[in-house]
Amino acid sequence: MKYPDNIKELCKLPINMMGILFYTQSPRYIGEKSFPELKSISSGIQLTGVFVNEPVENILNRIKEFDLDVVQLHGNESPVECKLLRQNNVKVIKAFSIKDPEDFRSSVFYENTCDYFLFDTKTVFYGGSGKKFDWQILSYYTGTTPFLLSGGISEQDVSDIKKIDHSLFAGIDLNSKFELSPGNTDINKIKHFISNFTS
């Protein structure tokens, strides 16, 4: 999310987390903005800062500036860095790029350092590809940390998501397929998705 009015509209919907992106190379980068009203308009929703290979000190500054509840890490952050951030009263989500079952192996080193893992489609970029991986391979994940699913999820995927049968499947991350432009969410699409998902 990038624009205050769009954020206000999204916050009216029954969502659990809302992301703002601090990766400067992304078109969704929030920029050097400070939204003093951001925490109040997102009351009840966990405000999530998304980072890629950002120094821990910088992340801690953003946590304080934006009063973040969650940090989502999409780079090569170490288990030590995840654990350190988690000690600062925020939840930590660590993203892993997935294509084949063996891609789950790297998550073993992050057990007990994160609140959630996020399984995204493997590409040369840091997320935001708009592409899905084969969700059937989720059965190969045998860790103990709950996970979120990401990567090209669209309105057409409701029935397939409902079929995912894994005890640690905790939620979904919606992004590019629900945008009017980078960082500008199509509220009607989100409403339609939620309606279909909960019906």
Side-chain angles (χ1 to χ4, degrees):
M1 302 301 295
K2 189 174 179 178
Y3 305 104
D5 289 344
N6 194 222
I7 289 171
K8 288 177 183 177
E9 290 302 309
L10 184 70
C11 288
K12 296 175 183 178
L13 304 183
I15 62 174
N16 302 109
M17 300 179 187
M18 179 182 66
I20 51 177
L21 211 146
F22 295 101
Y23 181 46
T24 58
Q25 297 183 45
S26 170
R28 300 177 182 90
Y29 173 49
I30 195 171
E32 294 307 315
K33 303 172 184 176
S34 180
F35 298 151
E37 76 278 19
L38 192 56
K39 193 63 182 179
S40 62
I41 62 178
S42 62
S43 179
I45 296 171
Q46 296 177 77
L47 192 58
T48 305
V50 183
F51 301 90
V52 178
N53 295 327
E54 192 73 23
V56 168
E57 183 179 357
N58 291 358
I59 297 176
L60 292 175
N61 288 337
R62 294 298 196 179
I63 290 171
K64 184 176 180 180
E65 179 185 0
F66 286 85
D67 198 13
L68 299 176
D69 302 295
V70 185
V71 294
Q72 183 171 308
L73 308 174
H74 273 266
N76 301 312
E77 300 85 6
S78 69
V80 171
E81 289 173 305
C82 292
K83 190 172 184 178
L84 178 60
L85 289 167
R86 199 181 185 195
Q87 291 171 350
N88 282 270
N89 202 33
V90 293
K91 293 181 180 178
V92 173
I93 300 171
K94 181 68 183 80
F96 295 90
S97 298
I98 305 296
K99 180 181 179 182
D100 302 305
E102 56 264 29
D103 291 323
F104 293 113
R105 292 177 183 173
S106 59
S107 69
V108 172
F109 303 102
Y110 292 80
E111 291 287 359
N112 303 313
T113 71
C114 303
D115 295 274
Y116 298 97
F117 293 153
L118 184 142
F119 296 143
D120 199 357
T121 306
K122 178 178 281 189
T123 70
V124 297
F125 305 106
Y126 294 107
S129 69
K131 298 179 181 179
K132 288 191 286 288
F133 64 92
D134 180 4
W135 295 344
Q136 292 187 31
I137 68 172
L138 289 170
S139 61
Y140 288 90
Y141 172 61
T142 58
T144 61
T145 300
F147 68 88
L148 308 175
L149 181 63
S150 186
I153 297 174
S154 72
E155 292 178 274
Q156 286 70 49
D157 293 316
V158 171
S159 60
D160 287 337
I161 293 170
K162 287 184 174 182
K163 293 176 185 176
I164 296 175
D165 182 21
H166 196 296
S167 62
L168 293 176
F169 177 40
I172 52 178
D173 182 337
L174 305 179
N175 194 5
S176 58
K177 298 294 186 181
F178 293 85
E179 289 183 316
L180 297 166
S181 61
N184 185 20
T185 295
D186 188 327
I187 301 300
N188 287 329
K189 272 191 175 183
I190 294 284
K191 285 181 179 178
H192 188 251
F193 181 90
I194 292 173
S195 177
N196 286 342
F197 193 81
T198 56
S199 62

